Amino acid sequence: MIIILRNPVARLYSDYTYISTGILSPERFHQEVLAEISAFRDCIRYHDIRFCVYHNSFNESDVSSTARLHNGFYASFIEEYMKCFPRDQFHILRLEDYSENKVEEMRKIFQFLNLRDVEVPHTKTRRNKGRKNTRDMLPETRNVLTKFYQPYTDHLADLLRDERFLWLQ
């Protein structure tokens, strides 16, 4: 299995800008994030994290939220796969590393798949540009999300034995 993961904070905002309808706003996103975090905390008071993550919405009365926090709980999903498949059948990389050095990351994938080393032409990758004219998320939203996801990225880095998945830089 090849899994590519993105910093969950950046992934969440990108997802928001991609799936939202109507006017996009960092302020609206901030409010949705706060509501989803509150709903998640309510959920884990009564259920385990697995239930809350797979429930797909922490707040059943608001399934229209575009702040889909649950998608960033990578360790929860990967642990389920690892119950069925041994660790050596996984190649897990970070989107940031792939974006920075596509050729090297593709070589690692070829090696993982036991394919011969081939010259990978450097080509431009089409990017999902999302919506035009969107502003970056508010710094306070980034701080709230970074703090919120930290125990889960800590768990992911432990699970994968790789501190790069802490997304510290």
Side-chain angles (χ1 to χ4, degrees), residues 100-113:
E100 189 174 300
N101 193 342
K102 292 174 185 66
V103 172
E104 180 59 28
E105 292 304 318
M106 288 304 297
R107 282 196 174 109
K108 290 176 185 176
I109 291 170
F110 290 164
Q111 184 178 20
F112 169 73
L113 296 171

Side-chain angles (χ1 to χ4, degrees), residues 26-168:
E27 294 79 15
R28 177 179 154 213
F29 177 69
H30 185 79
Q31 293 307 311
E32 288 195 36
V33 163
L34 295 178
E36 282 294 294
I37 288 174
S38 176
F40 173 76
R41 289 185 175 141
D42 287 344
C43 184
I44 60 172
R45 263 192 281 203
Y46 303 104
H47 306 284
D48 66 8
I49 188 168
R50 185 179 185 281
F51 174 88
C52 295
V53 168
Y54 280 90
H55 200 245
N56 291 336
S57 177
F58 311 122
N59 182 357
E60 287 186 67
S61 65
D62 181 21
V63 293
S64 65
S65 175
T66 53
R68 302 185 304 179
L69 290 176
H70 65 279
N71 289 336
F73 290 92
Y74 304 137
S76 296
F77 299 114
I78 292 170
E79 284 176 322
E80 292 299 311
Y81 285 114
M82 287 184 171
K83 288 178 183 176
C84 301
F85 303 99
R87 174 65 177 98
D88 66 349
Q89 290 188 5
F90 291 86
H91 180 74
I92 302 170
L93 64 147
R94 297 179 339 145
L95 178 64
E96 296 83 359
D97 298 333
Y98 176 78
S99 296
E100 189 174 300
N101 193 342
K102 292 174 185 66
V103 172
E104 180 59 28
E105 292 304 318
M106 288 304 297
R107 282 196 174 109
K108 290 176 185 176
I109 291 170
F110 290 164
Q111 184 178 20
F112 169 73
L113 296 171
N114 291 320
L115 297 174
R116 66 182 170 83
D117 193 21
V118 296
E119 187 61 35
V120 180
H122 181 71
T123 59
K124 289 192 174 191
T125 310
R126 296 177 83 193
R127 290 181 181 243
N128 176 4
K129 298 201 190 305
R131 301 207 180 189
K132 295 182 180 183
N133 303 321
T134 58
R135 298 186 330 230
D136 197 14
M137 79 174 83
L138 300 172
E140 57 265 35
T141 310
R142 186 175 305 284
N143 291 338
V144 165
L145 285 168
T146 299
K147 184 181 276 189
F148 172 76
Y149 277 122
Q150 186 201 348
Y152 308 105
T153 56
D154 288 349
H155 179 60
L156 176 67
D158 287 344
L159 177 68
L160 301 179
R161 296 185 184 115
D162 189 338
E163 290 187 359
R164 293 175 309 130
F165 290 94
L166 294 171
W167 284 283
L168 295 175

